[in-house]
Amino acid sequence: MKFLNGLMAFALMAAAWTVQAQDADKSQFSGFLGDYSQLQPVKDREGVLAYVNQTHDYSVYKKIRFTPVEVFLTPNPDYKGMQPDVLKQMSDGFLNSFISAFGSDYQLVKENGPDVLTIRMAITGVQLTRPAMGVTDFIPIKALYNLGRKAAGDAPMVAEMSGEVEMLDPQGKRVLAAVATRKGEKTLKQDEQITWSELQAITDYWAKNMKQRVDQLRDAGR
């Protein structure tokens, strides 16, 4: 199952799951999904927990409905400010990756219906940092993962993003859910400011894998 390698995680794969989710570190959960008891680690996918209802008929879905992307901050962040334009840039950028991935093969709708699969998504674990004065092109968040042993100096860093996703049938019942974290590919310097392009590479990856997974589930039911 491919989705949210490393969201939201966000890979969705029908691989064997061996460790129960209740044994996982609960601190990684934002509360967006509510119930995390169904999630289990995906084999060979570090940092990915997922659930798929394998008995559900996915072949009926011809339309996709996305709900607005939510953003969850880490508890008690050092900096508590969040400018509305920053929040919008993050949520819109996340959603646009999925709209681009699904738009060619599925009809994107705003209302629920008998052939509509609803997808809820959230960016989680966001750590805010004080933005530089007069700078508008950067995302004021601490989204860095240290690639070296030192937390200072010239140790290389990469952007890191976490997310959660849930798919609902027309009756609002969960048929798929996942939690994951993924690191970007671009190496950054210590304390380098982050643009959305570093994070979009992650959301584009999630969107591509999520679309492939939905395709697989639909094909399996035909």
Side-chain angles (χ1 to χ4, degrees):
M1 166 183 159
K2 296 181 179 178
F3 177 61
L4 301 179
N5 181 20
L7 177 154
M8 265 98 158
F10 334 158
L12 298 175
M13 301 180 63
W17 297 322
T18 58
V19 183
Q20 296 299 316
Q22 44 265 48
D23 294 332
D25 180 8
K26 300 298 189 298
S27 65
Q28 67 183 299
F29 303 145
S30 70
F32 172 74
L33 294 180
D35 181 10
Y36 294 84
S37 62
Q38 295 174 310
L39 302 184
Q40 297 178 343
V42 178
K43 184 178 180 180
D44 300 328
R45 296 287 174 175
E46 181 182 357
V48 181
L49 300 172
Y51 161 78
V52 177
N53 182 344
Q54 299 287 357
T55 64
H56 187 72
D57 181 10
Y58 298 87
S59 64
V60 301
Y61 299 118
K62 302 176 182 178
K63 303 173 184 177
I64 299 292
R65 178 170 73 107
F66 292 108
T67 63
V69 175
E70 300 185 36
V71 179
F72 284 75
L73 306 182
T74 57
N76 302 316
D78 295 335
Y79 182 73
K80 302 185 187 324
M82 171 62 90
Q83 294 296 325
D85 57 338
V86 173
L87 182 63
K88 187 175 189 303
Q89 184 179 6
M90 294 179 67
S91 58
D92 286 355
F94 194 111
L95 182 58
N96 286 339
S97 291
F98 286 82
I99 289 176
S100 297
F102 280 86
S104 59
D105 294 326
Y106 294 85
Q107 181 180 351
L108 304 183
V109 298
K110 295 183 179 180
E111 302 294 332
N112 195 14
D115 56 352
V116 176
L117 183 66
T118 296
I119 301 179
R120 303 175 60 240
M121 299 179 292
I123 303 171
T124 63
V126 176
Q127 300 181 52
L128 297 176
T129 185
R130 187 177 299 277
M133 293 296 294
V135 177
T136 59
D137 295 334
F138 300 103
I139 306 294
I141 61 174
K142 296 178 181 178
L144 293 177
Y145 177 81
N146 187 9
L147 292 178
R149 293 183 177 181
K150 298 180 179 179
D154 296 327
M157 310 283 281
V158 294
E160 183 180 71
M161 196 174 193
S162 298
E164 301 180 9
V165 62
E166 183 176 49
M167 295 186 187
L168 307 174
D169 70 7
Q171 289 71 45
K173 182 179 179 181
R174 173 188 290 178
V175 295
L176 186 152
V179 174
T181 298
R182 181 170 174 81
K183 300 173 180 63
E185 298 178 354
K186 180 182 177 181
T187 301
L188 305 171
K189 296 179 180 179
Q190 288 281 346
D191 299 325
E192 182 175 343
Q193 291 180 305
I194 299 171
T195 63
W196 178 254
S197 62
E198 280 84 46
L199 301 178
Q200 185 173 352
I202 298 174
T203 61
D204 285 348
Y205 176 89
W206 286 340
K208 177 182 177 181
N209 281 278
M210 186 178 190
K211 197 264 185 181
Q212 290 176 346
R213 182 54 182 152
V214 173
D215 289 345
Q216 292 169 359
L217 290 169
R218 289 185 66 217
D219 292 342
R222 292 175 178 172

